[in-house]
Amino acid sequence: MILKTLTRLHTLPLASLFSPTLSPKSSPHFLPISSPLSHSTAPNRSPSLLASVSNTTAKASISDSARFARTVLFVPPGVDADHVSEEMILPGSNIVLGPYAGDSRVKEVEFVKSSARARDCPKDNKPEFAILGRSNVGKSSLINALVRKKEVALTSKKPGKTQLINHFLVNKSWYIVDLPGYGFAKASETARMDWSSFTKGYFINRDTLVAVLLLVDASVPPQKIDLDCANWLGRNNIPLTFVFTKCDKMKVSKGKRPDENIRDFQQLIRQNYKVHPSWIMTSSVTGLGRDELLLHMSQLRNYWDQ
């Protein structure tokens, strides 16, 4: 049954994945991503998830279903992969809800500080989620959508506006961290190197980092710079969730639809990951994925607090 469910999840049109938000389960576990394989050691994989599914018989054993679930889904600790059901998967994602999912409401948010260096960041040991992505991917818009307050994070028509590590305290208990965007075209080579140096220092030395939310623009084909960033995070064992943005842009004059771009991106990621990291579709315009992402963050945060 789970194989049929996952087949539908990866073959349905984008709009059909936007089903109503599931009710939160009682109190998820955090599952770090596995260390990625190098290109030279990665096993041969089917060029398409569809191909791997279609080659599986309808009489697949439970162990086959579990193996498939562990490979494609984000199955948190506390959840038996043999018992994953369709109702446990958040709409528009590969995320399974587990026993640590809890209250995901954002009641209050306040800006705390901007830091030019990782060592200058807050030292109060509160869990935090770092939001990272290309400078025009919609980081600030996503933050504003998550907290439902305009201009909490600075938005600008000029990519690369954020140049510091910005901490926003949510519910006086955890942080959203807005990191500088990478890949902005008008930055000098020196500026890009400085960005790389101090941002990577933050990732490696920040003990309170629960996970990186790596934003990927679903309205364009996979970008090498996003894949390189994801692979670097994986090599350094830094947990991440892919947050696909701009999924509301269904009409395209050229190229592929967002769901097709997302599928292409996932196929490339699977070349380097034994277990696919968690991912979710979002839109800061329509609010798509907002509640589901916050619920996912709650399960990561609650497990981190154990």
Side-chain angles (χ1 to χ4, degrees):
M1 178 63 184
I2 187 63
L3 284 176
K4 294 181 180 179
T5 297
L6 294 174
T7 302
R8 293 198 303 272
L9 178 66
H10 286 270
T11 58
L12 287 174
L14 185 66
S16 65
L17 296 176
F18 303 162
S19 54
T21 304
L22 297 177
S23 300
K25 307 294 179 182
S26 58
S27 6
H29 250 139
F30 172 47
L31 178 64
I33 61 171
S34 67
S35 299
L37 299 172
S38 66
H39 286 284
S40 60
T41 60
N44 292 328
R45 297 185 185 274
S46 169
S48 169
L49 177 62
L50 291 179
S52 65
V53 175
S54 62
N55 291 333
T56 305
T57 66
K59 296 181 179 180
S61 66
I62 292 179
S63 60
D64 289 336
S65 297
R67 187 180 306 110
F68 190 67
R70 292 190 182 100
T71 303
V72 176
L73 293 180
F74 177 87
V75 181
V79 174
D80 187 339
D82 289 315
H83 298 144
V84 172
S85 65
E86 184 174 4
E87 292 72 23
M88 298 169 66
I89 304 172
L90 287 174
S93 80
N94 72 334
I95 299 169
V96 175
L97 285 185
Y100 282 85
D103 188 356
S104 59
R105 292 173 296 176
V106 174
K107 301 173 183 177
E108 60 178 310
V109 60
E110 61 178 305
F111 171 74
V112 175
K113 67 176 299 187
S114 294
S115 307
R117 299 170 296 183
R119 64 188 182 191
D120 297 329
C121 292
K123 299 177 175 62
D124 51 9
N125 294 318
K126 290 182 173 63
E128 57 194 47
F129 293 87
I131 297 187
L132 178 67
R134 288 188 293 118
S135 56
N136 60 347
V137 75
K139 291 190 297 92
S140 297
S141 295
L142 179 73
I143 293 174
N144 293 336
L146 287 176
V147 302
R148 284 185 171 162
K149 289 187 177 181
K150 294 182 179 180
E151 298 182 354
V152 168
L154 179 64
T155 58
S156 173
K157 294 182 179 179
K158 295 181 178 180
K161 191 69 174 180
T162 301
Q163 297 295 307
L164 299 170
I165 303 173
N166 298 306
H167 275 73
F168 299 91
L169 184 61
V170 180
N171 299 342
K172 298 187 182 301
S173 61
W174 58 279
Y175 287 108
I176 289 176
V177 185
D178 186 10
L179 294 174
Y182 56 77
F184 45 95
K186 294 185 178 180
S188 66
E189 190 66 26
T190 300
R192 294 188 190 186
M193 291 178 64
D194 289 344
W195 176 92
S196 176
S197 177
F198 92 82
T199 304
K200 289 181 179 179
Y202 164 85
F203 291 138
I204 293 174
N205 300 316
R206 195 67 175 165
D207 294 334
T208 52
L209 179 63
V210 176
V212 174
L213 305 184
L214 181 57
L215 275 56
V216 178
D217 188 344
S219 68
V220 299
Q223 303 293 302
K224 182 178 183 300
I225 193 169
D226 293 329
L227 296 166
D228 288 345
C229 182
N231 289 333
W232 184 89
L233 291 170
R235 286 196 301 273
N236 287 276
N237 296 315
I238 299 170
L240 80 153
T241 292
F242 291 113
V243 179
F244 292 103
T245 63
K246 306 180 184 181
C247 290
D248 58 288
K249 295 188 176 182
M250 294 296 293
K251 295 181 179 180
V252 291
S253 57
K254 297 180 180 180
K256 298 182 178 180
R257 301 189 313 268
D259 58 321
E260 295 174 314
N261 290 326
I262 290 172
R263 189 171 295 118
D264 290 346
F265 188 90
Q266 291 170 350
Q267 290 174 358
L268 292 171
I269 284 296
R270 281 195 297 276
Q271 295 177 12
N272 280 1
Y273 280 79
K274 293 180 180 178
V275 177
H276 201 302
S278 52
W279 60 265
I280 188 168
M281 301 175 179
T282 68
S283 168
S284 59
V285 175
T286 65
L288 170 71
R290 183 232 180 221
D291 295 340
E292 289 82 0
L293 178 55
L294 285 172
L295 190 57
H296 172 56
M297 293 166 71
S298 80
Q299 70 177 358
L300 302 187
R301 188 172 65 252
N302 290 335
Y303 181 70
W304 185 91
D305 279 335
Q306 301 304 304

